[in-house]
Amino acid sequence: MTINESIESVRKSFRTDLDSFPSDPKEIDSLRSVYFGRKGLIAGLYISLADLPNNEKPEAGQSINNFKKKLQTDFDAKASTVIDVASTTHNQSFDLSLPGFPITNGSIHPLQQTLDEIKSIFKSVGFKVAYGPEIEDDYHNFEALNIPKHHPARDMQDTFFVKDNIVLRTHTSNVQIHLMEEREPPLRYIVPGRVYRNESVSYKSYCLFHQIEGLFVDKNVSMADLKGILEYFVKQFFGESTVMRFRPSFFPFTEPSAEVDIWDKKRGKWMEILGCGMIDPNVFENVGYDSSIWHGYAFGMGIERMTMLKYGIDDIRLFYQNDIRFLEQF
Ligand code: PHE
């Protein structure tokens, strides 16, 4: 057989193999070595070169080279179509037992958790939830609450003014006035929301924080009712064994007024948690309630402060930095 005859016979068998080209990657590989392997048919052609007379070798070698190149291109072209199709349609296998990519869940912000908890405690004893405006007029934030003109809270130093007479509310007590203006007694509401104060930012104060206001108006409401509800709340929220005290205080819109402290075992001292009192008759007058018939109490607490005490957090700014290492702990 001449070299050309040998080439022809390899070409023939290659055509047949192309027509019945396998789709399995392993079979494709073994077919590849039938032709291009170290002991394959093409290698065999090169070996038979040795038998030729020297003057014929260059030309024959060139023919084999060209033939090999052509075969390789055809083979690769065929293989690539088969493998592409295989990987997109047939034969694709999934290992269903492989572990998936981990899904990282977010967590509920600690302030929201505290708020939810406080809300559910008060709802369980009959309080409804109401909301009010954060941008407020001087009347609802101060005047109607019996806060006199010269009161320090009305100073630019303590309050953010939007414009003359319009402020960012400094407490949620403004909603006491809205509720009583809009509805007839009896009333039993808690009012969560953001409040703003123009204070220098430090570990214990921030320009923005959250409060929950409580408002109860009915006939024959006494300070004993107020003490009862707050004691119930504190034990539910901080635990049955929490030690608390009422301390006389002053707010222009309540009379008498008090603050509640709880004993912080970790710090070894009393920590103030809320302000409260019996609604001042002047406030009732401002909203058109007859203070000889209606009595009531109100209280207001800071949600940041409650959260800090409950979880031993010592810097209020952590709530606003969105540091995942902090948030993940809740
Ligand atoms: N508004 C008061 C404060 O921000 C808290 C308070 C609310 C006190 C209701 C008494 C009654 O400090």
Side-chain angles (χ1 to χ4, degrees):
M1 230 192 325
T2 68
I3 279 286
N4 280 340
E5 281 166 348
S6 309
I7 289 179
E8 257 340 285
S9 99
V10 174
R11 194 195 305 279
K12 250 194 207 155
S13 92
F14 184 73
R15 281 215 197 93
T16 327
D17 282 334
L18 272 197
D19 285 342
S20 57
F21 205 79
S23 61
D24 180 78
K26 270 190 200 142
E27 286 176 37
I28 294 176
D29 276 348
S30 51
L31 185 59
R32 190 192 301 277
S33 49
V34 167
Y35 289 93
F36 308 104
R38 229 156 28 90
K39 295 177 179 164
L41 293 171
I42 302 227
L45 293 175
Y46 283 112
I47 289 167
S48 60
L49 270 182
D51 302 335
L52 291 181
N54 277 344
N55 63 340
E56 290 178 20
K57 278 180 186 170
E59 198 186 329
Q62 193 60 50
S63 310
I64 301 173
N65 285 345
N66 292 340
F67 176 62
K68 181 185 174 189
K69 253 190 211 151
K70 167 90 173 95
L71 240 59
Q72 231 153 12
T73 328
D74 289 356
F75 190 96
D76 290 345
K78 186 78 181 178
S80 72
T81 59
V82 173
I83 289 169
D84 271 350
V85 172
S87 64
T88 50
T89 57
H90 330 291
N91 282 353
Q92 187 174 22
S93 58
F94 294 102
D95 183 350
L96 296 176
S97 67
L98 280 177
F101 295 108
I103 297 171
T104 44
N105 286 325
S107 58
I108 297 179
H109 194 281
L111 292 180
Q112 186 63 48
Q113 289 187 34
T114 301
L115 175 57
D116 290 345
E117 204 179 332
I118 297 176
K119 263 163 50 176
S120 85
I121 294 171
F122 281 107
K123 276 175 161 181
S124 74
V125 287
F127 283 77
K128 291 195 191 122
V129 182
Y131 299 90
E134 290 175 29
I135 298 174
E136 188 56 288
D137 53 36
D138 178 280
Y139 178 77
H140 288 86
N141 196 82
F142 297 125
E143 189 80 38
L145 286 162
N146 207 30
I147 301 175
K149 285 271 186 262
H150 59 264
H151 195 279
R154 291 184 157 210
D155 199 302
M156 298 282 273
Q157 253 71 64
D158 298 284
T159 303
F160 289 112
F161 280 79
V162 177
K163 52 185 183 188
D164 270 358
N165 270 323
I166 304 289
V167 301
L168 295 183
R169 69 175 171 194
T170 58
H171 50 186
T172 42
S173 301
N174 66 325
V175 189
Q176 286 188 35
I177 303 301
H178 287 290
L179 287 170
M180 292 191 280
E181 278 176 344
E182 287 159 18
R183 293 160 220 232
E184 291 303 315
L187 300 179
R188 192 169 1 178
Y189 284 98
I190 51 166
V191 181
R194 291 175 178 223
V195 303
Y196 303 84
R197 287 188 197 171
N198 193 0
E199 291 180 49
S200 48
V201 171
S202 75
Y203 70 95
K204 60 177 179 183
S205 55
Y206 201 66
C207 45
L208 140 81
F209 59 101
H210 296 76
Q211 286 187 329
I212 286 199
E213 192 83 5
L215 174 70
F216 185 87
V217 181
D218 209 332
K219 291 172 182 160
N220 302 320
V221 182
S222 74
M223 191 88 184
D225 297 314
L226 173 62
K227 286 185 77 172
I229 194 80
L230 291 178
E231 207 165 313
Y232 172 76
F233 165 72
V234 165
K235 306 235 148 149
Q236 289 287 309
F237 185 79
F238 287 108
E240 207 51 53
S241 61
T242 311
V243 180
M244 65 186 286
R245 72 177 183 190
F246 284 78
R247 181 167 41 77
S249 183
F250 173 79
F251 298 101
F253 37 95
T254 48
E255 180 60 35
S257 303
E259 281 171 300
V260 171
D261 300 332
I262 62 167
W263 181 254
D264 185 341
K265 285 189 215 121
K266 204 174 129 205
R267 296 180 177 83
K269 59 177 176 178
W270 289 105
M271 301 293 288
E272 178 204 322
I273 58 163
L274 59 82
C276 62
M278 303 306 292
I279 295 170
D280 194 292
N282 288 342
V283 174
F284 278 143
E285 216 160 276
N286 289 336
V287 296
Y289 282 9
D290 184 343
S291 64
S292 67
I293 302 174
W294 300 104
H295 300 130
Y297 61 70
F299 55 84
M301 64 185 93
I303 297 175
E304 279 77 355
R305 173 158 275 248
M306 304 291 278
T307 313
M308 290 167 82
L309 283 169
K310 183 155 176 165
Y311 298 109
I313 298 165
D314 51 18
D315 191 328
I316 193 172
R317 292 168 294 195
L318 287 166
F319 292 122
Y320 296 97
Q321 287 162 345
N322 274 341
D323 186 330
I324 195 103
R325 292 165 300 181
F326 171 71
L327 297 175
E328 256 173 3
Q329 297 173 46
F330 299 90

